[in-house]
Amino acid sequence: MERKRVAGEVMKGMVVEVTGSTYMVVTDGGEEFRCRTTPGTKTENNFSSLVAVGDRVVLKETETGTELFEAVITLVERRRSALTRKRDLRRNRSKEKVQVIAANIDQLVVVVSAFDPPLSTRLIDRYLVFAESEQLKTVIVVNKMDLDDSTETRELMKPYHALNYRILYTSAEEKNGMKALRKVLAGKLSAFSGHSGVGKSTLINELFGSERLRTGETNWKTGKGLHTTSSSIMLPLPRGGYIIDTPGIREFNLSGITRENLRFYFKEFLLAMQDCAYSSCSHTVEPECGIRKAVESGRIDPERYESYLAIYESIDRDS
Ligand SMILES: Nc1nc2c(ncn2[C@@H]2O[C@H](COP(=O)(O)OP(=O)(O)OP(=O)(O)O)[C@@H](O)[C@H]2O)c(=O)[nH]1
Ligand SMILES: [Mg+2]
Ligand SMILES: [Zn+2]
C-alpha cells in the first residue's frame, strides 16, 4: 500500500539499519525511508555516534524523485540506553573512541550452549557483569540442550536461578524452547550475543520460521538480509520486536568496569559486603572479609566468587 508522498512531512520512527551514512528508518506508521543526516541534524545525546540502530528519530520527507534519499533526519531523540564498543583507533582515523552498536536496547540475550562449545560459567559471569554495569536486563539462553542427556547443565545453572536471572533452555536443532524464547522477545529490542558456535544464527533463523524467506529477501532497500555480517541491522521479528546480532563480549566497551566498582556488579555481594572490616575491601586478601565468609558458609556460590577473582585479575590495575 503506497501512501502518496508529501515533501516536507514530518514523522517519527526508529533507525533499523545503518550502512555508511545511509540510515533506514521505519516510521511509527510502518513505512520505510532511506534517510541521511544534514549539518543541521540535532541530537539530544552527547555520545559521539550521531545515529545508531535503535535510535528514535524525527524525519522530514524530501522532494520525491529529486534525490537518492527520501527523508532527512532532523532530530535524534535521547537514548534510554546505549550498547557501545571501543573503536580500533589504529584502523580508524575517526577521533571517536567509542562507537554505539545499538541504542535503546531493552535486553541483552546471552546465548551459551550446553556442549560444543562447553558451557562456561566464567563467560556467563562476564556477560552478567557487563549487563549489570550497563543496567541492561539479561536473558540467558542455554542452547543445544539436545546434547545433554544428564542433569549436568541444570546443575551448573543453579546459582543463576537462585539469583533470579531469566534462563531459557533451548534446542534450535530440535526446536525446543522456541515458544518461550519468542515470548521473551516479543515487542522488545533485544541484542543477541554469545561465543562463536553456540547457535545464535540457528536460533535466529528458527525464530523467523516461515517468515525467514521474506526476511532473507529483506524489505530493507539495501538488499541485505538475515545472513548479513553487518552488526548494525535490526531484524524485525514476525510477532513484533527486533533483534540485533552483536559482537562478542571482548568487543564490548568494558571501560566502565574497574577493580573498584566490579564488586557492585555481582548482585549477591551487596549484602555480604557490609560485613567487610574495610570499606575499601577488594575481597581478595583482606582479613575479616564478608564476601569470603559468605563463600565459606555457602551463602555465595564459590564458582561465582572464582569468576569475581578472575575478572578482578584481568582488569588493569590502573584503569
Ligand atoms: N546439537 C545442536 N546443534 C546446534 C544447535 N543449534 C545450533 N547447532 C549447530 O551448532 C553449529 C553452530 O551454530 P551457529 O548458529 O552457526 O552458531 P553461531 O552462534 O551463530 O556462531 P557464530 O556465527 O560463529 O558466532 C552449527 O553446526 C549448528 O547446526 C542445537 O540446538 N543443537
Ligand atoms: Mg552466527
Ligand atoms: Zn571483603
Side-chain angles (χ1 to χ4, degrees):
M1 187 193 65
E2 275 292 299
R3 181 185 59 83
K4 200 163 149 263
R5 295 206 184 276
V6 188
E9 186 170 346
V10 173
M11 292 157 288
K12 282 192 173 193
M14 186 180 82
V15 178
V16 295
E17 186 178 347
V18 177
T19 316
S21 45
T22 301
Y23 308 99
M24 291 306 303
V25 175
V26 172
T27 64
D28 295 344
E31 282 185 291
E32 285 168 41
F33 285 88
R34 183 196 295 273
C35 302
R36 63 180 168 87
T37 55
T38 69
T41 299
K42 292 192 166 55
T43 177
E44 294 176 350
N45 305 294
N46 39 28
F47 265 103
S48 46
S49 301
L50 179 61
V51 186
V53 288
D55 266 327
R56 295 280 312 164
V57 295
V58 176
L59 60 158
K60 192 172 173 185
E61 201 160 340
T62 54
E63 296 281 350
T64 39
T66 58
E67 59 172 321
L68 181 64
F69 294 95
E70 297 153 323
V72 296
I73 295 172
T74 56
L75 174 75
V76 183
E77 294 183 358
R78 179 171 296 280
R79 291 171 184 144
R80 279 185 286 116
S81 68
L83 197 59
T84 62
R85 75 162 139 201
K86 271 190 181 161
R87 257 188 223 279
D88 186 345
L89 291 174
R90 285 162 307 175
R91 284 194 311 171
N92 197 306
R93 273 180 294 153
S94 152
K95 279 191 222 92
E96 303 177 356
K97 279 195 187 132
V98 162
Q99 177 192 3
V100 177
I101 302 167
N104 301 321
I105 289 293
D106 293 308
Q107 56 194 6
L108 184 67
V109 179
V110 177
V111 185
V112 295
S113 53
F115 292 100
D116 190 23
L119 191 87
S120 161
T121 56
R122 293 283 173 275
L123 191 63
I124 292 177
D125 291 332
R126 278 188 184 269
Y127 275 106
L128 292 179
V129 162
F130 173 70
E132 295 286 342
S133 76
E134 294 288 321
Q135 292 173 294
L136 281 168
K137 277 205 280 184
T138 9
V139 179
I140 305 170
V141 174
V142 187
N143 189 39
K144 305 201 189 185
M145 283 301 286
D146 55 289
L147 299 180
D148 183 15
D149 46 21
S150 70
T151 55
E152 194 181 331
T153 305
R154 281 173 201 268
E155 282 296 322
L156 283 170
M157 293 307 292
K158 261 187 182 162
Y160 305 97
H161 284 282
L163 291 168
N164 282 321
Y165 281 109
R166 191 149 197 185
I167 305 163
L168 298 175
Y169 296 90
T170 62
S171 165
E173 189 95 337
E174 295 185 341
K175 306 188 202 312
N176 279 332
M178 298 307 295
K179 200 172 158 191
L181 181 57
R182 283 196 184 92
K183 202 170 155 191
V184 160
L185 301 175
K188 298 206 173 80
L189 298 192
S190 306
F192 269 58
S193 199
H195 205 281
S196 180
V198 295
K200 296 181 297 294
S201 298
T202 314
L203 282 169
I204 291 170
N205 279 337
E206 197 51 48
L207 285 169
F208 285 92
S210 58
E211 296 280 309
R212 176 175 167 181
L213 220 119
R214 193 189 68 79
T215 316
E217 285 167 350
T218 186
N219 259 325
W220 315 141
K221 293 168 189 172
T222 54
K224 282 202 236 158
L226 200 55
H227 302 288
T228 176
T229 51
S230 157
S231 63
S232 49
I233 183 165
M234 288 268 180
L235 302 167
L237 289 163
R239 292 193 213 164
Y242 288 85
I243 52 182
I244 179 174
D245 215 346
T246 61
I249 186 98
R250 277 191 196 86
E251 280 191 61
F252 286 155
N253 173 26
L254 305 172
S255 63
I257 301 163
T258 63
R259 285 188 165 189
E260 283 65 44
N261 66 20
L262 177 65
R263 69 196 75 170
F264 300 110
Y265 307 136
F266 282 78
K267 58 183 180 182
E268 71 273 43
F269 283 20
L270 297 180
L271 198 64
M273 241 156 52
Q274 294 172 3
D275 298 332
C276 296
Y278 302 95
S279 62
S280 63
C281 186
S282 72
H283 322 303
T284 54
V285 291
E286 296 88 342
E288 296 296 309
C289 170
I291 299 292
R292 284 158 63 203
K293 274 188 214 151
V295 174
E296 277 157 30
S297 70
R299 278 175 292 133
I300 286 179
D301 180 70
E303 287 298 318
R304 286 273 293 170
Y305 179 63
E306 286 299 320
S307 282
Y308 171 81
L309 293 178
I311 299 172
Y312 186 94
E313 275 309 312
S314 73
I315 298 173
D316 286 343
R317 208 172 294 272
D318 313 315
S319 74

